[in-house]
Amino acid sequence: MAEIIQKDGIWAFGGDALRLTPGRDKNVSVLRRTLGELDVPLGALAGISFEQGPRSGRLRLRLRDGADPLLHATGGRLAETHDPYQLAVEPDRYGVAEYFTDEVRDALLLEQVPNTPVNGYLLPGPRLPLSVSAGDGTAGFDGERVRLEWNWKTEDTKAAAGPRTLALADILAVEWQPSAGLENGHLRFRVRGAPARVRAKYDPNAVELWGFKRDPLMALVAAAVQARLPHPSTAVPPAPPAVEEPEADHDALLRRLRELGELHREGVLTDEEFAMAKQAVLKRM
């Protein structure tokens, strides 16, 4: 058994699987704490690396393509702090981290684990039932149905349609996109017969995300649904999502200012958050 214990978490390797336990330190992300302990079979790994730094190092696991529904659902857009397959290592544990890395690498060689894509998920995805409140709504999933409910911050016409229940059989794909810069993020479900070209703010099959603390948890809902959709190796490739009409840069900045003002008046943004966000937009103008 090889084991490394850090404030960021505990990684243990028993020869045929790794157990990843998130730490209880306040700096551990809410996504990793909510996801909880992971058992990663050796056959799901494509490799492991350890990078030293002057203040801290980092252990990284690389999974085989298609092995984990969370990585597939997030498509490389998961921030480093939320990635459950990374572990921050303190300098006085660099030797332990190097030993741990060698043990996993030796096992991969001994078992001749290929680094090629897999044709089925080797991890089960987040535990169910699952319900997350963030952005303009709440998304819940029980394994058979997705339930979308709206809050007081939801756009009026979207909220007027009431809660949505989506059968898993009707869901073609799930998209999770974090907010970036001036662009809001979303959790969107591509449903049979639904129009594809609608902004998340108005889409009754999407939750709009504004970049706040709980937003990354929507990635867990995406992963839980993805784990029960056809595996990407066997599914017929869906048509690429329609790109929303780009707005003139000036118009987009004005729209962002209006949205920030609404969030500030509604109490979603504090005075300090509003001032910082507004200043960033004004600099772009």
Side-chain angles (χ1 to χ4, degrees):
M1 166 82 70
E3 184 178 62
I4 181 167
I5 302 174
Q6 293 290 275
K7 292 188 294 183
D8 196 34
I10 301 173
W11 283 15
F13 177 54
D16 57 356
L18 292 92
R19 175 161 293 180
L20 315 181
T21 305
R24 298 182 179 181
D25 187 75
K26 64 179 182 180
N27 293 323
V28 176
S29 80
V30 63
L31 184 150
R32 288 178 56 206
R33 291 199 304 267
T34 304
L35 182 60
E37 190 172 85
L38 291 176
D39 287 318
V40 183
L42 184 67
L45 290 185
I48 183 173
S49 64
F50 173 58
E51 305 161 3
Q52 293 189 19
R55 295 186 178 181
S56 68
R58 190 162 294 272
L59 271 169
R60 301 178 190 267
L61 294 180
R62 184 165 57 89
L63 270 63
R64 297 169 67 186
D65 288 345
D68 181 21
L70 175 62
L71 295 184
H72 183 77
T74 54
R77 297 181 293 271
L78 201 60
E80 189 173 83
T81 184
H82 302 308
D83 189 341
Y85 302 113
Q86 299 190 32
L87 182 74
V89 179
E90 297 167 9
D92 63 349
R93 289 294 182 270
Y94 282 0
V96 178
E98 290 172 345
Y99 170 75
F100 188 93
T101 300
D102 290 341
E103 287 291 294
V104 176
R105 283 177 177 166
D106 289 347
L108 288 171
L109 289 172
L110 183 64
E111 297 296 326
Q112 297 183 338
V113 177
N115 59 8
T116 54
V118 299
N119 57 12
Y121 292 121
L122 301 181
L123 284 93
R127 289 183 290 272
L128 298 178
L130 181 63
S131 181
V132 174
S133 296
D136 69 351
T138 297
F141 182 52
D142 62 5
E144 296 180 358
R145 290 169 295 275
V146 171
R147 175 79 171 176
L148 300 177
E149 299 179 352
W150 314 117
N151 57 36
W152 60 276
K153 301 184 286 292
T154 309
E155 193 275 332
D156 290 345
T157 57
K158 182 174 168 179
R164 296 277 288 171
T165 299
L166 309 175
L168 182 63
D170 292 329
I171 298 175
L172 301 174
V174 58
E175 301 171 6
W176 176 78
Q177 178 72 49
S179 59
L182 298 175
E183 295 301 320
N184 292 335
H186 63 258
L187 170 67
R188 188 195 307 273
F189 299 95
R190 297 289 182 187
V191 181
R192 300 180 194 279
R197 196 167 179 162
V198 182
R199 279 177 53 203
K201 181 175 183 177
Y202 306 102
D203 188 346
N205 299 318
V207 176
E208 186 180 37
L209 305 174
W210 300 312
F212 299 138
K213 183 177 180 180
R214 291 183 60 83
D215 282 9
L217 292 179
M218 284 295 180
L220 300 183
V221 179
V225 174
Q226 184 65 55
R228 288 155 183 84
L229 294 177
H231 190 268
S233 67
T234 59
V236 176
V243 178
E244 296 165 2
E245 289 284 356
E247 299 178 80
D249 189 55
H250 185 74
D251 291 342
L253 294 172
L254 290 176
R255 175 173 59 82
R256 186 60 170 167
L257 281 176
R258 287 194 296 269
E259 290 176 350
L260 289 172
E262 291 173 4
L263 294 173
H264 182 235
R265 286 191 295 273
E266 293 167 355
V268 178
L269 291 177
T270 65
D271 292 344
E272 182 179 358
E273 290 172 332
F274 173 66
M276 291 177 63
K278 180 180 177 182
Q279 184 63 30
V281 175
L282 292 175
K283 285 183 178 179
R284 292 285 300 273
M285 295 181 69

